[in-house]
Amino acid sequence: MEGHPAEQLLRLAKEKGLQVTDQEFAKYLDDNDEMGHIRKQFHIPRVCELLEESKEVDGPAKGVDPNKECVYFAGQSLGLQPIETKELVDAEMEKWRKRGQYGRNTGERPWVPIEDTVLEQSGILVGAKNPSLEVAIMNGLTINIHIGLTAFYQPTATRHKILIEDGVFPSDFYSVQSQIQLHGYDPATSVVIVKPREGEETLRTEDIVAKIMEEGDSIALVYIPGIQFLTGQAFDIKTITEAAHAKGCYMGTDLAHAIGNIELHLSDWGVDFAIWCNYKYVCASPAGISGFFLHEKHAYNFDLPRMVGWWAHKRETRFVMDNCLDLQPGAAGFTMTTTPTLETVTLIASLNIFKQFDMKTFRKKSRLLTGYYELLLKNLSPEQQQEGDQEPQAKKKKTTATVHVVTPSDPEQRGCCLAVRFSCSGDEICKKMLERGIAMQCHRGIVRTTPTPLYNTFSDVLHVYNTLLDVLGDIQ
Ligand SMILES: *Cc1c(COP(=O)(O)O)cnc(C)c1O
């Protein structure tokens, strides 16, 4: 491949006769960014807007211009709003106002088959070869977790376990736990957890595979996310799926932090089911509509257990309402309720942005942007400086605070987010950064900091670095 982005960047800076910490270098990277025009399609909050009614801070720090655009490094939590979103929502509000029930079948986007407008592009993001059969847009994420588990967790006395990773998100954990209990099994004996090795913070694929090989005969379902929500580690879903299938287990994956972030090929990988939300990297509305993938190989298996509602009934005869169920094949056969119009149009608006580039171009920027950020973070902390690094250490303020990047350095094992641990309080860092117009998020001592390729720039990254330098200097 192209090699590590850090090497690429150092080489480039050398060619230009610049330091990676030079404003001019960040500007050069921005000027050559193939995706630079995308940022203009988002509302970038100003600092004063970001801090309005803030529960975290009293206001901008001294010397910070409240009217300048903030640097939003919190896309892993909630994506920013595309400019088109309001337009599309307003159009449906107007249609409802003017046409009442007749809006269901009229206009550019009739409400009844509105899910059709988002399947193809959602399919591109998750790598579904046959999106109209494999993808459904429905419900909230946790509901879809339960729908996937209901279909693919069919425990027997000898095969009753679910394999998860150690840091699994609470909602996923509770879903797994309660599904096991619903089937009359005990989570204490039916949950298998893969943990990082002693002294390590992320998982090794080989350890996940080894666990599957070891306990696979009693495992019903392997349930590993596309990207770990806290550490930002991307898992090798292809290899894990192969191992799961080799042992006769189903494979399910939560893509909450992977969709709109890394390239996914669910159909090719043979993943049995996947679920995701669209409000993080996809930038649809807060808590908006979520997604469900069912591999084509299961599309005509009408015996897969499910909770059924009228939306799963074939479209042509759904409104006959004779209570003779005729299930739609594929993922659509798992939809239950009328697709919510407003949530779906917010998804249309964000998918319209993703339509403007392919995921290869997106990832190319992402690797470089996060690679640049990582390089600067290493520059901040002498501890992480590796032999052979050519950049001089941070010169501005002397700081003994250390910065440790938890996320793997291998670009194949991460998306755009870097999870960072500071030697001082992460909450304190987040607060001070917010006062300076930079949005980040701290959980359990880990600060998630995310340069997203859609709306963050290389200059944003440099600004975050310079601000961190100041903030860490102050903390001394
Ligand atoms: C964000 C996230 C959720 C949130 O679930 P909701 O049902 O949307 O509240 C669940 N699981 C993971 C892994 C997440 O990252």
Side-chain angles (χ1 to χ4, degrees), residues 76 140-143 145 169 171-172 225 227 229 254 256-257 277 279-280 287 290:
Q76 83 292 333
L141 170 55
T142 303
I143 309 290
I145 297 174
F169 192 93
S171 212
D172 300 66
I227 289 189
F229 81 98
D254 186 333
H257 287 264
C277 52
Y279 52 85
K280 291 167 181 166
S290 294

Side-chain angles (χ1 to χ4, degrees), residues 351-367:
L351 293 179
N352 280 346
I353 291 176
F354 280 92
K355 275 183 186 158
Q356 299 168 42
F357 46 82
D358 57 32
M359 284 309 278
K360 288 223 172 345
T361 309
F362 176 88
R363 271 300 282 165
K364 194 172 139 206
K365 172 172 181 186
S366 187
R367 285 166 61 103

Side-chain angles (χ1 to χ4, degrees), residues 111-162:
W111 299 332
V112 168
I114 197 151
E115 54 268 35
D116 289 356
T117 58
V118 287
L119 298 185
E120 193 176 322
Q121 189 60 34
S122 297
I124 291 174
L125 294 190
V126 298
K129 285 198 165 151
N130 192 346
S132 58
L133 201 56
E134 295 183 304
V135 178
I137 291 302
M138 59 194 204
N139 314 313
L141 170 55
T142 303
I143 309 290
N144 292 350
I145 297 174
H146 276 290
I147 288 171
L149 292 176
T150 301
F152 289 99
Y153 179 57
Q154 302 159 24
T156 63
T158 51
R159 198 186 272 278
H160 56 89
K161 296 179 186 167
I162 301 181

Side-chain angles (χ1 to χ4, degrees), residues 166-184:
D166 193 33
V168 65
F169 192 93
S171 212
D172 300 66
F173 184 68
Y174 303 145
S175 300
V176 162
Q177 209 175 27
S178 59
Q179 285 280 336
I180 288 170
Q181 285 163 338
L182 278 171
H183 285 280

